[in-house]
Amino acid sequence: MKWVLMFCLLVLSAPVLANTDSTAFLGIPAIVYNGNDNGGEYSVTIQILAIMTVLSILPSLLIMMTSFTRIIVVLAILRQAIGLQQTPSNQILLGLALFLSLFVMTPIFHQVNVTALQPYLAEEITPLEAAERALVPMHNFMLNQTRENDLGLFVRLSGREDIASAEETPIHILIPAFITSELKTAFQIGFLLFIPFLIIDLVVASILMAMGMMMLSPIIISLPFKIMLFVLIDGWALVMGTLANSFVVT
């Protein structure tokens, strides 16, 4: 994880590195060609390699270490509860989850920028020290969202007996415990969202059954009422506000 953050710091420090004269650091030969008259070589910069590496693991970091998991699971359950299979589309749900995650994680990213990135760009600390500082706010954020029983489970599974407190939990143990807690919390919120829509389905099904209209699907009749209810109570604002307030950010 520290090496990943070091790659991120290298990418973000591109303007600083570009102003230096150390071409040996910025470029390494990629393809060497020889012709009849002259030869040469194509080079690829270290920063391009860092960018490609970060982009390949960025989705995993986004899902595993931020608020994204809880938000996208709740939104997916909400869509299922309303009864809309493809509306909003997956792209819209992912966009909502992404930007709400950025909103929630902004204080954490600000701490990383102040304590790790800016001192590194100012050449006040080494890349390894910057990575260690950047991990501290992320570690605190995940620890605040993680249940003690989930954390204890993975500590026991790891066989570590030298962890005296939750703050000493290594990042490779904290991440799976954090994901487990996030999924549990997301399903709890989704259950509460499901109840009012389930009641509407039951009422509509009972009415149709009493009228003898057993061949008519209750979902067709209840869907407009569920949409109307969700709009009247300003459901999207309530859901977004509840998700944002459900995270403990210090």
Side-chain angles (χ1 to χ4, degrees):
M1 187 61 62
K2 294 180 181 180
W3 296 109
V4 172
L5 292 174
M6 289 176 62
F7 271 122
C8 295
L9 292 171
L10 285 172
V11 173
L12 294 174
S13 62
V16 176
L17 297 176
N19 292 331
T20 62
D21 296 330
S22 179
T23 57
F25 176 79
L26 289 176
I28 58 175
I31 300 176
V32 179
Y33 66 92
N34 294 314
N36 295 328
D37 299 331
N38 51 24
E41 64 181 23
Y42 296 105
S43 63
V44 59
T45 64
I46 294 294
Q47 293 175 18
I48 292 178
L49 293 177
I51 291 174
M52 294 176 63
T53 303
V54 170
L55 289 179
S56 64
I57 63 175
L58 188 60
S60 298
L61 293 178
L62 176 65
I63 293 173
M64 298 300 175
M65 299 179 64
T66 67
S67 59
F68 184 84
T69 300
R70 182 188 304 185
I71 296 172
I72 191 62
V73 171
V74 170
L75 293 179
I77 294 177
L78 173 63
R79 184 176 65 179
Q80 186 70 26
I82 297 177
L84 299 172
Q85 300 300 323
Q86 299 296 332
T87 304
S89 64
N90 292 331
Q91 291 82 355
I92 294 177
L93 291 185
L94 288 172
L96 287 173
L98 177 61
F99 283 100
L100 187 57
S101 298
L102 291 176
F103 173 78
V104 173
M105 299 297 296
T106 295
I108 309 301
F109 294 153
H110 177 70
Q111 295 179 30
V112 173
N113 179 62
V114 172
T115 60
L117 180 58
Q118 293 304 321
Y120 170 73
L121 295 179
E123 299 182 355
E124 297 176 357
I125 57 177
T126 63
L128 184 58
E129 186 178 356
E132 292 177 349
R133 290 188 181 184
L135 278 178
V136 173
M138 298 299 300
H139 188 281
N140 293 335
F141 170 79
M142 290 188 291
L143 190 61
N144 289 333
Q145 322 307 320
T146 305
R147 292 176 171 82
E148 293 184 3
N149 56 344
D150 294 327
L151 186 61
L153 170 64
F154 284 94
V155 170
R156 290 193 302 271
L157 292 176
S158 66
R160 295 283 298 272
E161 299 180 355
D162 57 334
I163 302 176
S165 62
E167 289 73 15
E168 299 178 3
T169 306
I171 195 71
H172 69 278
I173 298 177
L174 180 58
I175 290 178
F178 168 72
I179 292 298
T180 303
S181 292
E182 287 294 281
L183 290 175
K184 185 181 298 184
T185 303
F187 274 77
Q188 289 176 347
I189 298 175
F191 171 76
L192 296 177
L193 290 175
F194 231 106
I195 292 178
F197 300 111
L198 180 60
I199 293 175
I200 295 177
D201 286 332
L202 291 175
V203 171
V204 172
S206 300
I207 294 175
L208 293 178
M209 185 71 68
M211 296 175 62
M213 304 175 65
M214 293 177 292
M215 300 302 294
L216 181 61
S217 175
I219 298 178
I220 300 177
I221 306 300
S222 63
L223 181 57
F225 292 99
K226 291 190 288 187
I227 295 177
M228 180 181 64
L229 172 65
F230 192 70
V231 172
L232 289 177
I233 65 174
D234 198 9
W236 286 113
L238 290 176
V239 171
M240 293 298 179
T242 300
L243 285 173
N245 290 325
S246 66
F247 292 96
V248 180
V249 181
T250 58

